[in-house]
Amino acid sequence: MRDGVAFLMEQQKLLLADIDAFVFDFDGVLTNNLVHLGEDGREWVSCSRADGLAFDVLRILQKPTYILSTEKNPVVTARAKKLQVPVLQGVVNKVNALVSLSEAKGFDLSRVLYVGNDLNDFRVMQICGYTICPADAHPRIKELATVVLACNGGKGVVRELLEEVL
């Protein structure tokens, strides 16, 4: 086991049964945080197919899963549709959005696992019981995270979370 994961296991067990819902930021978590632009202004991003398989597993496990993004972008919509994951996008305040979602769905925030990578995830990560970030996350996010993964954003974050952490 990697040092970070081994350390987590010594400190606290992270069990799938303790998690009511998974919430993922999009850019920098499900993507490598780069955007490619065509001459026509269309954007595209890179995502890991390994994460697609991991989302299939979460669906089989019947774990509610969401994408929460400040971006309102057809790329986010298309990827969420392909993954069959509900998406809340164009969100100005992630804390308010997650609190509203949790109240509507009956989730206990102390049992929500949030995966983020940048400063716009900081406040929402403070209210969740479990927080994860990719290896290339902002330093303040790494300090806050329950677990810092070995992989970078867009390189199989969800897959590593399921295979190595849970």
Side-chain angles (χ1 to χ4, degrees):
M1 238 191 251
R2 293 182 341 273
D3 291 347
V5 174
F7 175 75
L8 167 75
M9 296 307 173
E10 291 170 14
Q11 297 299 312
Q12 144 191 10
K13 281 285 193 189
L14 189 56
L15 302 173
L16 190 60
D18 293 335
I19 299 168
D20 287 346
F22 291 81
V23 181
F24 297 89
D25 179 36
F26 188 76
D27 291 318
V29 171
L30 301 181
T31 77
N32 61 2
N33 218 17
L34 298 175
V35 63
H36 306 275
L37 293 170
E39 290 177 0
D40 60 358
R42 285 189 12 198
E43 295 183 5
W44 65 95
V45 297
S46 297
C47 299
S48 173
R49 288 194 184 273
D51 281 343
L53 293 173
F55 278 108
D56 289 344
V57 170
L58 287 171
R59 205 169 20 267
I60 290 166
L61 294 171
Q62 299 182 344
K63 288 293 182 177
T65 306
Y66 301 89
I67 295 171
L68 179 62
S69 179
T70 54
E71 285 283 320
K72 178 128 180 82
N73 191 320
V75 172
V76 180
T77 304
R79 186 64 179 153
K81 183 178 180 181
K82 172 101 177 170
L83 295 171
Q84 301 175 45
V85 174
V87 62
L88 292 85
Q89 60 179 315
V91 172
V92 175
N93 185 319
K94 287 186 172 187
V95 170
N96 290 347
L98 186 55
V99 167
S100 294
L101 176 67
S102 294
E103 288 173 354
K105 300 293 185 179
F107 302 141
D108 179 344
L109 285 169
S110 70
R111 294 175 55 90
V112 170
L113 184 146
Y114 185 88
V115 184
N117 74 303
D118 214 338
L119 293 175
N120 64 339
D121 298 307
F122 189 84
R123 297 266 183 246
V124 73
M125 288 175 79
Q126 287 181 311
I127 67 167
C128 293
Y130 306 99
T131 54
I132 310 290
C133 71
D136 60 345
H138 188 280
R140 292 202 55 206
I141 297 302
K142 287 181 178 181
E143 291 171 7
L144 180 62
T146 308
V147 177
V148 176
L149 299 172
C151 71
N152 288 339
K155 301 293 184 181
V157 166
V158 186
R159 181 75 162 262
E160 182 179 340
L161 170 62
L162 288 179
E163 292 182 354
E164 299 294 332
V165 178
L166 296 172

